[in-house]
Amino acid sequence: MQFVHPEKLNGKKIAIVVGGGFAGLNTAKKLADQKGLHVLLVDQRNHHLFQPLLYQVATAGLNPADIAVPIRAQFPNTSNIEVHLGRITGVNLNKKSILTTVKDEPVEMAYDYLVLACGAQHSYFGRNDWEDFAPGLKTLEQATEIRRRILAAFEQAENALDIASTKSLLTFVVVGAGPTGVELAGAIADISRTVLVKDFRRIDPKTARAVSLSAKTLL
């Protein structure tokens, strides 16, 4: 099904911005209130996420709501910005249109200008089965899952029956030594020596190790 936006019929140019992260959000803000232009900001989630602090959620330093704000709340008085929850399934550059779905029906929408600010995701280099054992850290869901695993490891170590099992459970490996990886490894070390240090009787949380693995030696 082809859809022509009513503002297009009124003679306005249509700009579609895909992604509500830093790039997409700031692009939409720059285009706000531009005469003759109507902007559709599309994201598969309805919140803008401050990704640099995801490691704090993953280590129980912050709650998810502390780093996520509704995208719509960023444009309360901007008449030419529409925010839509949706997923773009394709782009037809020749026809200048994007492909999406509405109520499970494919929809094609024309644009005059297109900004793709979809962000990035981690890669398992063809070994997607690794994700079950090593989740990435790009979303709130992944952050809360990592937090669950970290805290569960300390609980399981408290119940461990031998030293080897305890040592294994209290060893955390972070793959990647970029800003997120370094901050995450540091936060794990910090909570084990400060936050959790008095919470257990059989284990000493300070003995936990955070191992950072990287293909490069310099950040």
Side-chain angles (χ1 to χ4, degrees):
M1 180 178 71
Q2 288 190 326
F3 174 77
V4 179
H5 197 281
E7 294 293 346
K8 178 77 171 177
L9 299 176
N10 290 334
K12 290 187 178 181
K13 299 289 186 180
I14 301 297
I16 297 179
V17 179
V18 182
F22 290 116
L25 197 64
N26 282 287
T27 297
K29 288 181 177 180
K30 289 291 186 180
L31 298 177
D33 299 321
Q34 294 288 327
K35 292 183 178 180
L37 183 67
H38 196 77
V39 181
L40 307 179
L41 176 57
V42 184
D43 196 285
Q44 60 185 351
R45 293 180 173 83
N46 66 353
H47 59 266
H48 169 70
L49 180 65
F50 193 79
Q51 281 194 348
L53 289 181
L54 272 174
Y55 79 94
Q56 289 274 22
V57 175
T59 52
L62 292 174
N63 293 315
D66 294 330
I67 64 169
V69 295
I71 296 176
R72 295 181 186 280
Q74 307 302 305
F75 306 98
N77 302 309
T78 308
S79 61
N80 74 322
I81 305 288
E82 285 185 30
V83 178
H84 289 276
L85 178 69
R87 185 180 182 89
I88 305 303
T89 57
V91 177
N92 190 322
L93 296 178
N94 293 326
K95 295 176 64 176
K96 297 186 71 173
S97 63
I98 58 99
L99 304 175
T100 184
T101 56
V102 176
K103 294 183 178 179
D104 298 324
E105 293 291 330
V107 175
E108 185 177 10
M109 181 182 297
Y111 63 81
D112 295 289
Y113 310 104
L114 176 66
V115 178
L116 295 178
C118 307
Q121 64 182 29
H122 50 275
S123 172
Y124 291 95
F125 309 102
R127 292 296 305 271
N128 292 335
D129 52 309
W130 291 353
E131 187 167 11
D132 291 338
F133 307 98
L137 187 53
K138 292 291 187 182
T139 67
L140 285 176
E141 293 82 3
Q142 291 168 338
T144 54
E145 172 60 16
I146 291 173
R147 178 176 65 185
R148 184 193 67 78
R149 295 189 188 194
I150 291 173
L151 298 179
F154 283 94
E155 297 292 345
Q156 292 167 13
E158 181 80 347
N159 293 335
L161 300 178
D162 58 80
I163 295 176
S165 296
T166 300
K167 185 176 181 180
S168 176
L169 287 163
L170 294 183
T171 300
F172 302 92
V173 179
V174 179
V175 180
T180 298
V182 170
E183 294 282 13
L184 180 61
I188 292 172
D190 181 61
I191 64 171
S192 68
R193 288 157 176 76
T194 56
V195 179
L196 302 177
V197 68
K198 295 181 179 180
D199 290 349
F200 297 90
R201 298 295 175 265
R202 295 188 63 248
I203 63 170
D204 181 2
K206 295 195 300 294
T207 62
R209 293 194 309 149
V211 180
S212 179
L213 298 181
S214 175
K216 297 180 180 179
T217 56
L218 296 176
L219 179 61

